[in-house]
Amino acid sequence: MISTGIVSLLLAAPSSATLLWATSYNDHTVTSLNLDKNSLTVLSKSLDCGSEPTWLTLDKPKSLLYCLNEGWGGAASITSYKTNNDGSLSALDVLPVLKSPVSSTLYGPNKGNLAVAHYDTSTFSSFTVRDPSDIALTGNVTYTLDKPGPDPNRQEVPHLHDAILDPTGRFIAVPDLGADLIRLFAIEGDAWKEIPPAQAVSGSGPRHGGFARLGGNTFFYTVNELSNTVTGYKVTYNADSTLSFKLLFDYSDHGEGGSVPAGTKAAELEISPDNRFVILSSRGENSLEIDNFDATNSTKIPSDPIISFRINPWNGALTLTQVAPAGGRNPRGFTLNKAGTLVASALQDDNRVVIYKRDVRSGKLGDLVAWATVGEGENNGPNYVIFNE
């Protein structure tokens, strides 16, 4: 039996509340949060995910949560949790893994497997989670480069940065920032096999991505960290169980003809639940101002943006809809609730999780709903947040 490290701050979440979980580097915790109307409060914190907890993958029907630990300050790992009704987490297993796991997705029959992208170790790996108290490695493949890419400081080796299940559940796409590729894997039951990758724009550094299915078409979009662009592809499902990606466009993540300040790094990409919008976050811009979260302080504070685009269902083109405040600096990760009516943003440089309203029809973010302090210390605060949905 695993020894858990949990700090409980409240006895129980109200039955009408919405639960969220956020990871933060600087206090090494997974924080349980309770959203009740316009109040976001901390319920408990778990220390079981290791030194640098990052990506969270939820299996809602089974009340399971998987947390990746990048392992900068120790051994990298995957922790499986049982999610409790009061928002707290009970650790089931902790498995040491290769360094820097940064993203994961469930796949296969009954979602019994976890696919993981490793950034520093240039590896795609898979694990059986059929028994979440006994996670086990089932396969991996590690990549190399013959020579550095166009940005030799960031593209000296492959850097796998995301793992995305396609809408059919038959394929996994993995953007590789170092190799300018979308690596592709075909799922065969619990197993997978590598299939020919899609070529990304040279020097773009694809970071995160998402599939959208509209009007009988399937599109794939990436946000690219090195070029600060968004790229669109038309996806074709081939008879030989492979995928073809046709490049549609590549332009600024602020829209065609847009630009960003020096030092900007594109971050997260989400597809809205209705598949009608692509939503991005951008770090290091400090291009917007918002009201201070301290009601006694009238000084405005800087914010990076969350940027929304409407998808043309026939050709996959994007139309800029809105550039809205993310709620502070360095929105490394954000997610939408299942209805698409709320956006939760993790502000890594401000030790803050912020929730905004979102209009499903227009795709625009609206009023502030609630916020909470998450993380302790300078920088490297919350980096990812998800709803319990």
Side-chain angles (χ1 to χ4, degrees):
M1 182 162 179
I2 187 169
S3 173
T4 60
I6 298 176
V7 179
S8 294
L9 303 179
L10 294 178
L11 292 178
S15 59
S16 62
T18 298
L19 297 173
L20 301 92
W21 292 285
T23 55
S24 44
Y25 293 136
N26 54 16
D27 62 356
H28 319 295
T29 67
V30 182
T31 299
S32 301
L33 297 161
N34 172 55
L35 175 64
D36 188 12
K37 296 180 180 178
N38 294 101
S39 173
L40 187 64
T41 55
V42 174
L43 294 172
S44 60
K45 296 186 176 188
S46 169
L47 295 167
D48 291 303
C49 192
S51 57
E52 282 79 33
T54 179
W55 191 269
L56 297 169
T57 298
L58 178 67
D59 190 340
K60 173 66 174 177
K62 300 177 191 174
S63 299
L64 296 171
L65 183 70
Y66 299 94
C67 179
L68 304 184
N69 164 32
E70 293 188 53
W72 306 338
S77 59
I78 300 173
T79 298
S80 56
Y81 289 104
K82 181 72 174 178
T83 64
N84 302 311
N85 291 335
D86 64 358
S88 64
L89 300 169
S90 300
L92 301 174
D93 193 19
V94 179
L95 178 71
V97 299
L98 288 174
K99 213 76 169 177
S100 65
V102 291
S103 178
S104 60
T105 189
L106 292 162
Y107 73 94
N110 199 31
K111 302 294 186 183
N113 306 277
L114 191 71
V116 177
H118 300 257
Y119 183 84
D120 284 341
T121 44
S122 309
T123 297
F124 173 80
S125 61
S126 62
F127 303 83
T128 177
V129 291
R130 289 194 176 280
D131 179 356
S133 63
D134 187 19
I135 307 170
L137 177 70
T138 56
N140 60 40
V141 56
T142 299
Y143 298 96
T144 60
L145 289 178
D146 293 334
K147 61 180 181 179
D151 185 340
N153 293 323
R154 296 294 309 280
Q155 295 184 308
E156 77 289 7
V157 296
H159 289 302
L160 285 66
H161 213 305
D162 201 359
I164 309 118
L165 189 68
D166 89 304
T168 71
R170 296 165 45 215
F171 299 91
I172 297 170
V174 178
D176 185 336
L177 183 150
D180 286 326
L181 293 173
I182 312 300
R183 299 193 185 274
L184 298 170
F185 304 87
I187 298 169
E188 299 177 334
D190 291 319
W192 49 267
K193 70 174 183 180
E194 188 176 2
I195 58 176
Q199 182 65 55
V201 175
S202 179
S204 63
R207 177 182 170 90
H208 284 282
F211 288 92
R213 179 175 276 182
L214 281 170
N217 296 312
T218 300
F219 305 107
F220 186 75
Y221 300 93
T222 62
V223 63
N224 309 308
E225 182 174 341
L226 303 185
S227 61
N228 291 298
T229 58
V230 55
T231 306
Y233 304 86
K234 172 73 179 296
V235 180
T236 300
Y237 290 82
N238 302 319
D240 60 354
S241 296
T242 62
L243 296 178
S244 297
F245 280 49
K246 179 184 177 182
L247 178 67
L248 299 175
F249 63 83
D250 177 69
Y251 45 65
S252 168
D253 60 14
H254 277 254
E256 193 169 9
S259 61
V260 298
T264 296
K265 292 181 180 179
E268 184 63 275
L269 181 147
E270 293 284 340
I271 304 297
S272 62
D274 59 11
N275 278 231
R276 296 173 55 236
F277 294 89
V278 172
I279 308 162
L280 316 174
S281 64
S282 182
R283 302 168 292 172
E285 293 192 25
N286 296 320
S287 54
L288 303 172
E289 285 190 338
I290 58 175
D291 289 337
N292 203 300
F293 288 89
D294 179 355
T296 66
N297 190 337
S298 61
T299 304
K300 298 282 187 178
I301 60 175
S303 176
D304 289 321
I306 288 179
I307 307 156
S308 299
F309 296 88
R310 183 186 299 273
I311 302 172
N312 183 311
W314 309 115
N315 61 19
L318 298 182
T319 300
L320 180 64
T321 300
Q322 184 191 39
V323 178
R329 299 172 300 153
N330 200 347
R332 181 186 173 101
F334 71 90
T335 52
L336 284 70
N337 66 343
K338 190 174 181 179
T341 57
L342 297 172
V343 174
S345 178
L347 287 312
Q348 188 174 344
D349 288 356
D350 286 336
N351 288 349
R352 185 185 306 126
V353 168
V354 178
I355 299 177
Y356 286 102
K357 291 180 181 178
R358 178 179 177 271
D359 183 84
V360 174
R361 185 171 180 179
S362 70
K364 292 183 178 181
L365 275 62
D367 293 338
L368 172 71
V369 176
W371 68 279
T373 297
V374 176
E376 299 174 2
E378 290 295 321
N379 300 325
N380 281 330
N383 60 82
Y384 196 58
V385 58
I386 62 169
F387 290 87
N388 182 29
E389 295 182 347

